Amino acid sequence: MEEKTYTPMTQNLDVLDKIDNFTNWVYQEIRPFITGNIFEIGSGRGTYSKKIIKDFTGNKIILSDIDQNYIKELGQFENKDVSILKVDISCKEDFRNIKIPIDSAFALNVLEHIEDDVHAMNNIYDSLRIGGKFIILVPAHKFLFNCIDSSVGHCRRYTKNEIIAKVSKTKFKIKNLFYFNFLSIFGWYLNGHVFKKNVINKSAACILDKLIPLLRIIEQYILRKRIGISIIVVLQK
């Protein structure tokens, strides 16, 4: 059996795959904007792929990644409606492998890895049907950039104004833009800035997961999505 190589990225994905309350929360934030044929960018180990496949039975779904190991792992989901592709959204050529019209594309914690993120957004734009949506989740706040970001290959963290400025260089229109998950700001800062740990703390992640029901209420009715460690943006063609 091939020995699994653990990097900061794979360790963080392993943690993410085990905190169901949190990933369900992320998914429920983006789900209302997803319709029709679906293209998931950066599927990784399939944490959100499983949710999409369950909810959109019968829809055509494309799962993708640039890492060949993840492509192999995603093969478990392949069927007549679900296809697996190796796609680098910076590479126009890779989009030629997409054989169906796309109604919804989403990329969760992907764009921050792309050096020319505007070019990548333009590639997505060209792959969508008219009226199609591209949903993104990206890390927020420049002051939070630390060794965790560096270890997993982040080129940047975003501000709202930066997102708006970059989208203005594409043909996309912003339909929704809001912050997400304020509590993780404190854990990210402590873990990366103070303790200099380059991976997500498993214990802290499990505590966060247990607090999700309360956190969702606070964010929805008190903070009203005006602060968070991430920004969710819904773009439309």
Side-chain angles (χ1 to χ4, degrees), residues 114-123 165-167 169-170:
I114 309 298
E115 187 171 346
D116 190 345
D117 49 359
V118 173
H119 175 67
M121 284 191 279
N122 281 324
N123 285 340
K166 291 195 173 193
V167 172
K169 296 177 182 178
T170 74

Side-chain angles (χ1 to χ4, degrees), residues 34-40 52 56 59-62 104 106:
I34 298 174
T35 58
N37 295 337
I38 303 163
F39 176 28
E40 182 185 9
I52 287 288
F56 292 89
N59 295 46
K60 296 298 181 183
I61 299 171
I62 297 172
S104 308
F106 70 96

